[in-house]
Each structure stands twice: as structure tokens, then as C-alpha cells.
Amino acid sequence: MLHPSEPLPAPSPLRLLPAQPVRPVRPNGVPFARRLAAHGDRVALITPEGELSYRELAARVAATAERLGPVRRLVLLAGANRTDALVTHLAALSAGHPVLLVPGDSASTIRSLSQAYDPDVVARPDADGTWTLEERHHGSVHTLHPDLALLLSTSGSTGSPKLVRLSHENLQANAESIAGYLGIGDTDRAATTLPMHYCYGLSVVHSHLLRGAGLILTERSVSAPAFWEEFRAARGTSLAGVPYTFDLLDRVGFERMELPHLRRVTQAGGRLAPERVARYAESGRRSGWQLFVMYGQTEATARMAYLPPHLAAERPEAVGVPIPGGSFRLLPVDGHGPDVGELVYSGPNVMLGYAGSPADLALGRTVEELHTGDLARRASDGLYEIVGRRSRFAKILGLRIDPQRVESLLEEHGVTAYCAGDGEALAVAALGSAGEQARIRRLVTEDCGLPSRAVRVQVLDRLPRLASGKPDYEAVRRLTRPVEEAAPDAGEDLRRLYEEILDRTDVTEDSSFTGLGGDSLCYVEMSLRLEEALGHLPADWHTRTIRELRAMAAPTAAGPGEQEGPKPRRARPAPGPRGALRSWATPEFWRTRRTLETGIALRAVGIVLIAGSHVQVFDIKGFAHILMGVAGYNFARFQLSGAGRRERVRRLWRSIARIAVPSMVWITGAVLLTDFLDPANAVLLNSLLDQGNDRFDWAYWFVEALVYFLVVLAALLAVPLLNRLERRYAFGVPMALTAVGLVGRYDLLDLASARPQLSPTVVFWLFTLGWAAARAGTVRQRALLTAVLVLTVPGLFQDQPVRTATVIVGLGLLIWVPALPSLGPLSALAGVLASSSLYIYLTHYQVYPYLQEGFPLTALFASLVVGVGYAAVVTRVTRTLRWL
């Protein structure tokens, strides 16, 4: 289990108040801990051993409080997600005994803080796991301020004697605020996915007990299948996680899980990349739960701000608004603009102050407001955004690490070193010999609670310094990075792949396909080339960051002496208009089994059958209507990303231009050079003007309808209210539009053209049905879509049962089967055809009529080749214009 700690500031200027004298009055304890029995027989704890009601929990708390005695004593508690630890914690809070809460699995921290603070009682399991209360003093050797309720470390598991002093009011106020904005009720059940000694994990416990909700008390990791068995059996409603927790959730396929009772997922403990926030927010909307992104520090008991869930997808980079009862102000900082300052928080949950020794336990409030150490700004919409830090503290795997403290710890062991955070690792440059590297790493991991893989140690004969003589921490980071990182790795290859296909120069490890503005016109090539590079792609690859995709690389078989595990392959050229044939020469390519997205397969097969039916090589109709559903499916996946409203609309207009401009250019040429088409086709208005009933007059109905749909939707999504509705009701909105589309499907308003099955008003329901298919996250939703499909397609094509069945089967595959088995050559060919399908559709009308008589197969092949060629030309021109 990960043992993180909240982001805390380095020592910063505090507004000091005169130390308050000790009051002789015995405190009443923390209210929620004293009122457990009021919740009666409701389930309080769900453990592997069974359930415990609030009445039973209150009885055990009272019995333990009696054992602690009537005299206030300092209780050092080894925190753990087990019943005995929680009962002891609640007993101390209810009876007014200050608790020094430490990580139960860190013997060094327990030892160092016991030596520093000489607790009166130590509560922890003994060698055989039996819970014990070790009384070191009959009374108390400390002078304890009446308001003092809880002591938490400021530096994770380093054993630092610097502690945060929290009051009874702090704990009660923060629990009430959190329970309020999360909407926690007595029917909720939260899993203890975070350690008890960590203020975030503890706040989950307090806020749920306050409301009479249930706690699924477990020490299992979310990566364990048994955790999810417990969570489902207990009808869990709430999950809490730090960024590393979300890494684990990605690995276990959380977004594909059926969790019918889940209501909310909360995130804190460090910054989660905006792309991931948006992705999880979208996933929550599809599955019926809300994502709360939160911001806090131990000095504020736990929480200071939260991002309202309806804004998570639109403003994923923000930390949100102050919690109820709290407020922010910005303190100007030299070297930063007028809109950026240090974030200063005020509220009833602000700590009493720090403690550095037992004498400080007698102090009252010495801090009025909290200087967070974070640099922030307040955006025009009132949301706060964190833009930097004023201190050296690092957040590594959810743990808050003080590099300066680590340097001091190493110095105590005779090691001179410089330490710096470097992403998800702690970089340590130390003086010494090569043989000491393992010892130094062991010292750091034991003191900080970090896994060995997160500590990079480089032993040097001279530590790097700047010209001023100060430590060069950037050099420390650089010198400790593995040598192989200097060479392009899989991540860099993926970044280059994204840069090439999307024509972007701002690609980073935290970029995603949709975040970079990728759309249906380039996703085919991207998906196939990514699968070639990584071996496997999840269904939601387009929303995942490059970092996540690299971490999910398919395992390769281990050779003699090798260890099995994920080994990302270097990205190689793969199918697509710019790289389709480059890897066909290798034998592995022809033998490799792959998967092919159903949408890509339908586009590839569909365009061949559409062109072939026009050439009369065969007569299989209906695929143009299937591709209208595929267009709606891709619209939902790529246009309705987690970007903000304005960015969404901008990307949508860009996609409209990428469809309309090449179409109008080609059709204008055809109008000028042939007599097949009416001029209305050149400006994509034939469907609106209903110009004639000739075969070629309606040749481009599909492009016209698609452009009309996208223009109308761009206008609707530009309205803030409608944009929010779509984000909130991701499945409901397309289903509502499908209902509206059925009015046109049955032409109830008599708006259909001379060719009704080709009229935009008639086929709109197919587009929205595909949109809904992309948003369907449950079996029930897919079954509903299938029922609508089976009931509404018949009758669209009069006396054409095969065509009707073809449309139903094709769209049924899109709803139920995300990917199909394939081989390297088939995927490559499908990639070329699917990515060029629009252009083949545009051009084949000007190719096959000249070859159809006598050479039908040649006419079909020529139509495909010309379309692929036009796709390459459009791509090249688009890239050239963008760089001008």
C-alpha cells in the first residue's frame, strides 16, 4: 500500500499570534467521535472479518477510552487500516487525548518520534500482530493544550520531529466541509484506499463517520483483484486516490469495470495531469459517477479547495474553489506578474501551528492563516490554478519529500550529498566510492518510505556546484539519470510519431491524441502505427497520454536468462498513407496477429463495397448508411474530448474545414471539367436545394449531410449551457437527439427530399445513434441502442431486406464489438483504405465511368488508387499550409 502525504510548503512566513496559555478546562473531544452511537445499527465498518454497526463501534470506542484513563495523555498511534487502530484513534479523539499518528509499517519513524516526543501511551501491534496499548507513563509527562487533538508529520515517513498541531475544531470543521461539498450521506460506503496516517486518507474516514456512512476497512491495494471483490460485495460508493492510485487503476482496467453503486471518485495528494482529469471525468459521466479533484495540505487538516465535478472536463487544470468555510487570497511575490502570488488560506481548519519539541504541545494557536508555499492565480471564472512552488519540496509517488531533510539524514550517517526531486524519482548525488551506492540508496528508502526504484543514486568524487558556490541541483538530476535515457526511447519515438501525424511541435509525455486535436481523419493511421509500436492498444487509447501508453506496452516473451515483463518496442513505420508499405518486407509483419478497431474495419470494407457497387462489380448496398453511424461514433470519440468549450468548438470547425475544403475543391473541378454534376454540388448545397433526381446529382449526399450535422453541432456546443449538458449527460444527450432524429427518419414534418433515404433530415438519427454507441458504457445502454436500431432501420429501404440487414449488422458490430482479430497485412491494407475513405468516395465518381464498361475490376482498382493518391496530396498540402 502506498503511504503518501499531502503537499506541504517549505517553512514560510507565518502570521504569528501570541501563544495562548494552557486552559485548565478538560476538552470535550471531537464531536463526531463522541456521537457514533447516534447512528444506531447502521453499518459502520465492513472488514474481512465481518461487519460492525455504529452501536457496536461506539461500545468498543468507549471501552478503549476508559482504558486510556481520565487524565489526558499523549497517545502515539501506529496507523493502519484495521479495526483496532481505528477504535483507538476514535477513543482518543472522543476522550480528548491528543493523538500522534504515525505510519504503522515504519519502525524507524515510530522509533524516532517516540524518542523525540516521549509519548505516554504507544498503541501498536506486537510481534505476533496482537494490538497492544503500552502505557509508558501512568499520568502524563507533558503539558497538553486543551485544544490539541492530533499531531501529524509534515514530511511523510522521514521521521522528522516537525509536526502539525491540529485542534478538535480543525478536525470537526474539515470533516463537515468535506461531507458537505461531496454530498456524503448515510447510504455511502467508502473504501480505505489510502493509509490512515496520511491526512487525505484520514479525512475520508472522518467525513464518512460524521454522516453515519460505512467504511470498507481494507489494507489491500486497488491493484489486487480481491480488493474489487470486497468493494463490489460491500456495494462501495466512494474511492479516493492520489496520482499513483490512478496509475494502478489504469493498469487494472478500472474504466471498463462494472461498479453499479459507485457514486464518486476523489483525487488529491499531488497534481494529476489535466488530460487524465478530463478522461476520468468523461469516464465518470459515462458510468454514472462524479470526479472530485481536490487540493489540500496537512496544515489545513486535509482540504482547502475542490473542483466542482461538472467543471472537471472543461477546466481540468484548475484546483477549483475554496471549500465551504474557507477562503483564499494571493500574496504578491517578487519576480512574478501581478496576477500570480503565493496562495494564502484562511478557515476553521487551519492548524494551531507547528510543533518541533514536546514543549510546543502546550502552545495554543500561533497561526492565523496558512501560507501554502504554492504560487497561484485566480482565473476570470473564479477558479484557482496552481502555477508553481516557492520551495524545494518534491512530490514523488504521492509522497511529499523534503530533499533538504534527506540531505540532513544522510549527513547523520556520514554521507555528504545533494538531493533533488526529478519527476517521479528522488535524485541523490553523494561523495564517496562506488561501493557505497547501495548503502546510500538503502538509507534513503528506509527513511523516506520510497521504493528503491524511485531513488537514483550517483556517487561522485566532487559534488556539482554553480559558479556562486551553491549546489547545482539541475546537474544532480542530470548526473543521476540512467545512461539509456540520453538515447531516444520508446516514449521519444511515440512523441515523434504524434508530431509527424498530427503536425504538432508541442507534444509531451502528457499529451494525448484528442488533447492534441486529433480527429477521425488521422486516427486510423495513428491507431495502426501505435499498435505496431506497442503491440496492443486499449479501446480508449485516443484519450490516454503517451506516458500511459508507453507504460501499457505489450509484454514480450523472455529469452534465456531474461525476466518476463513489459518491454516497449521501438516505434516502427506502420500502415497509413505515409507509411503503409514500409514494413511489409519483414516476415514478422505477415505473421503478426493484431486487432483492428471495428470502426476502421467498417470504413475500409465499406468504401470498397460502395465503390464496387457503383462500378457494379457486386451489389452490396447499405454501407454508406453504416458509415454515417461510424461518423457519429468518431465525432463523439474525437470531437467531444475533455478540452474546454472554446477549444472544442475550434477543433470542430477545423475538422469541418478538413472535410469541406478538399471536397469542394475536387467537386468544383468535376463541375468545370465534366457535365455530370450540378453547380450546387460544388458548394455542398444540393441536398438543401433538392436539385434534380439524377444519379450524380445526389452523388455527394453523404459529405453534404456530414458537414451540415457538424456545423449545427458546432453552433450548439458554442452555447455554454448546451456544452455543459453534453458533458453532464454524455449518453443521454445523443439519445435525446436520436429521438429528435426519428422525427426526420419517418418524415413526420414532410422535409425529406426527392431521395428520402439520402436526405440529411432522414439519416441524422444514424449519426446520433453512432454518437450514442461511443458513449454507451453498460450492457443496458448497448441493449437499448440495439433495440432502437432493430426497430427503426426496417422500412428505410423499401423492398430491400438485404440492405436493411446489412445496416443492422454493421451498426450492431459498432455497438457491441470494439475490435476484430486481424493480421499485419490486413490491418495495413485496412489502414490505407479507411484513412483514405473520404477521398476515395470523392474521386471515384470521376474515375470509374471511363473504365466501367469492359474493365469493371480495373475501374474499381483505379478508383481506390486515385482516392489514396488524393488523400496523400491533401495531407501534404495541409501540412505545407500549416507551416507557412
Side-chain angles (χ1 to χ4, degrees), residues 745-766:
R745 151 70 182 92
Y746 293 104
D747 198 21
L748 300 181
L749 300 179
D750 196 25
L751 297 176
S753 60
R755 303 283 293 274
Q757 73 272 22
L758 308 183
S759 174
T761 57
V762 172
V763 300
F764 177 64
W765 118 93
L766 291 174

Side-chain angles (χ1 to χ4, degrees), residues 717-740:
L717 291 173
V719 179
L721 174 61
L722 298 180
N723 185 63
R724 288 195 297 270
L725 281 175
E726 188 283 323
R727 293 179 187 274
R728 185 173 182 83
Y729 304 104
F731 181 74
V733 167
M735 287 305 296
L737 290 176
T738 299
V740 173

